Amino acid sequence: MTNTTQNTSTTQATTTANGPALLPLPTTAARAATTIGAAAALAGTFLAWTWTAAFPGNLTVTGYPGGLQVLTLVSAALTLLFALSGYGIPGLRWLTPGGTNSPTRLLALGTLGTVGYTMGAISAQLGGVVNLEPGAWVSGIGALIATIGALALPADLPADEHDTGLWQRFRHSLTAPHPRRAQELPSWAEILIIAAGFGIALYVFTYGIDTEYSELFIGYLITVGFAFTGVSRAGLISRLTALTTKHRNVALAAAFVAAFCFPFTQDNDTYALIGANILIFATVALGLNVVVGLAGLLDLGYVAFLGVGAYTAALVSGSPQSVIGVQFPFWAAVLTGAVVSLIFGVLIGAPTLRLRGDYLAIVTLGFGEIFRLTMNNLNGSSGPDLTNGSQGIPNIPDLNLFGFDFGQSHDVGGFTLGRSANYYLLMLLFTVFVVLVFRRSGESRIGRAWVAIREDETAATAMGINAFRLKLLAFALGATLAGLAGTVQAHVTYSVTPEQYLFTGTTPPNSAFLLAAVILGGMGTISGPLIGAALLYLIPAKLQFLEDYQLLLFGLALVLLMRFRPEGLVADSRKKLEFHETDQLAVPEQQLPEDATSAKKAGA
């Protein structure tokens, strides 16, 4: 695709078919302003931003960026790098296979957002802008200049389309790119790129989970959000996705190695506990992806199957408060929890899966609430004494597998792994197992039949597919995978209570957040629900100081994401075609009769 940046270097960036736009700067001047502003914003991070260490991160040191200055430095460096790639510098053009100006525009906005938030936070906490040192002003003014210059850059449009103004540029910056065809690389180079990509992802995730104060985490969200969108718009994510698709087994192995290394990067066991809970949430979301993403069954009570597995493991794992009074080995407790969840999935699915759409959603929502109320009433007063009612089943003992006590710290290769890290690694094995099950199921004949049912159940039935049997199979498989995760959750949390398995709430896991993780991450994909679950668990855990405003921000983010990326963060080709208009069926204008072409233009 020929971008306007390649043939309009000396034209006005804002001279459009609709007249002059808001930022009348030549393209060369706009790119120069972006470059100079980004360089100034970067240089300002090496100067003091405030005079007192009372603001978190100690931004008083000259020559050594810290805290939010580091995020600004990274964002400004990326902006500068992408701005320089617009000059056609050899070696930098590979950064922007999908266009130069759109990613530069997004990264400049991210730099301005991070600097602006930091300056506002300093002024609010310390009592006014008088507390800002010259470094903050240098970075702030530089980021503003870079943003103005980036907004004046023309949109990355094909040669036959016109740049109609600032709003079109911003909207086009958020659309999916059409990257140039990449040059074939040796297999070893492609594998190294995959490994580097997962290594960077591990570092970014570790940095976010290790943020020690709320101001730094909010700045982290601003920086990562704009940076990821900018890199995606540049086409780099598409190229990496193509490589991971080509070397799928290598990509899965690299992802597992990166996840395995996470607990070895943590000095605080609290963050390893967050990681373990994220894996539990992600595994359950991947199980729900079988039901919703592949088979197209809207399940609003899926968290109940997680509770079934957790309660089953709690009853048979030797808790003093268990009325059964037995202690199974962990492998037996896992199998018991999975089998009981499977049975519940069949019992609930058999009479209800003949329903469709909203009716099925209401029935599954009712099952989730019935499970929670039943566990609450089995207290010896309202019903048999089995679950200890609202008090739940506490004091679930730690696991001990082959002499390895998961409740004790262990030294491995010079690193100390605490209790949470032990359970994280165990849950990682479960996640790998669930990923393999999902992948094999999705690629099998049964998986293709699930997709056919999801797209059009009537047509699938007419082609000879037994829709009810396959929907019941998907429902049972999803319930089994959730039960597996529940058996580990019972030991991680030490206790299980009915309040852990609500339909909605401020913290996951609950049915609403599980469904959101699947939809926001990308239905029918492997990595989508994993990424969605990680974000939806990490963000509430780090923003607890917002209290009731968490759901407000979550709703706002949901609206924005559904508006600009309805197919999810990671989407397959089917969803991209479904949610975005394409010109595949359009008739070229020159092939129409002359009178038809005139009528088309008149109608437009």
Side-chain angles (χ1 to χ4, degrees), residues 400-455:
N400 193 310
L401 294 177
F402 308 108
F404 186 90
D405 190 347
F406 281 73
Q408 302 295 326
S409 297
H410 300 275
D411 292 329
V412 179
F415 296 91
T416 300
L417 298 179
R419 176 182 183 273
S420 299
N422 297 333
Y423 280 108
Y424 171 88
L425 294 176
L426 175 65
M427 195 61 224
L428 181 60
L429 295 178
F430 276 75
T431 304
V432 172
F433 172 75
V434 173
V435 166
L436 292 177
V437 170
F438 180 87
R439 179 185 172 188
R440 294 297 184 185
S441 300
E443 294 176 350
S444 66
R445 183 178 62 180
I446 294 176
R448 294 192 293 272
W450 282 337
V451 173
I453 294 172
R454 182 192 68 192
E455 297 301 321

Side-chain angles (χ1 to χ4, degrees), residues 189-492:
E190 295 177 341
I191 293 174
L192 285 179
I193 292 175
I194 293 174
F198 281 102
I200 294 173
L202 172 64
Y203 179 80
V204 172
F205 177 77
T206 302
Y207 186 93
I209 207 173
D210 287 344
T211 51
E212 299 177 351
Y213 47 93
S214 57
E215 293 85 356
L216 182 60
F217 185 72
I218 294 176
Y220 166 82
L221 290 180
I222 296 173
T223 302
V224 172
F226 278 96
F228 178 79
T229 308
V231 171
S232 299
R233 186 58 185 83
L236 292 179
I237 300 298
S238 299
R239 283 191 172 178
L240 181 61
T241 302
L243 292 181
T244 56
T245 303
K246 181 179 179 181
H247 304 281
R248 184 170 298 180
N249 293 329
V250 174
L252 289 176
F256 173 77
V257 171
F260 178 81
C261 293
F262 168 74
F264 296 94
T265 65
Q266 301 301 304
D267 296 328
N268 191 333
D269 206 42
T270 301
Y271 298 142
L273 178 61
I274 294 178
N277 286 321
I278 287 175
L279 285 182
I280 293 173
F281 187 30
T283 301
V284 181
L286 197 57
L288 179 60
N289 198 25
V290 175
V291 180
V292 177
L294 293 182
L297 306 174
L298 184 56
D299 189 348
L300 298 182
Y302 187 75
V303 74
F305 296 117
L306 175 68
V308 170
Y311 266 98
T312 303
L315 289 171
V316 301
S317 294
S319 170
Q321 279 70 35
S322 173
V323 298
I324 296 181
V326 298
Q327 184 171 2
F328 287 179
F330 179 62
W331 64 268
V334 169
L335 292 179
T336 304
V339 169
V340 173
S341 297
L342 170 63
I343 293 173
F344 269 85
V346 174
L347 291 178
I348 299 302
T352 61
L353 288 179
R354 298 188 186 277
L355 301 173
R356 298 186 186 181
D358 299 338
Y359 301 99
L360 177 62
I362 295 299
V363 170
T364 55
L365 175 62
F367 164 65
E369 291 300 300
I370 290 172
F371 168 79
R372 182 178 61 84
L373 294 174
T374 302
M375 296 299 102
N376 198 48
N377 290 331
L378 295 180
N379 54 8
S381 176
S382 302
D385 186 11
L386 182 63
T387 64
N388 201 22
S390 60
Q391 301 299 318
I393 304 177
N395 300 320
I396 300 174
D398 283 311
L399 296 175
N400 193 310
L401 294 177
F402 308 108
F404 186 90
D405 190 347
F406 281 73
Q408 302 295 326
S409 297
H410 300 275
D411 292 329
V412 179
F415 296 91
T416 300
L417 298 179
R419 176 182 183 273
S420 299
N422 297 333
Y423 280 108
Y424 171 88
L425 294 176
L426 175 65
M427 195 61 224
L428 181 60
L429 295 178
F430 276 75
T431 304
V432 172
F433 172 75
V434 173
V435 166
L436 292 177
V437 170
F438 180 87
R439 179 185 172 188
R440 294 297 184 185
S441 300
E443 294 176 350
S444 66
R445 183 178 62 180
I446 294 176
R448 294 192 293 272
W450 282 337
V451 173
I453 294 172
R454 182 192 68 192
E455 297 301 321
D456 192 329
E457 183 175 343
T458 303
T461 303
M463 295 298 294
I465 295 176
N466 190 331
F468 174 76
R469 182 174 64 86
L470 288 174
K471 289 195 296 184
L472 184 60
L473 179 60
F475 209 74
L477 178 59
T480 304
L481 298 180
L484 287 174
T487 59
V488 180
Q489 186 203 34
H491 292 86
V492 171

Side-chain angles (χ1 to χ4, degrees), residues 87 128 333 363 392 430 482 494 524 540 551:
Y87 289 102
V363 170
F430 276 75
Y494 283 123
L551 289 180

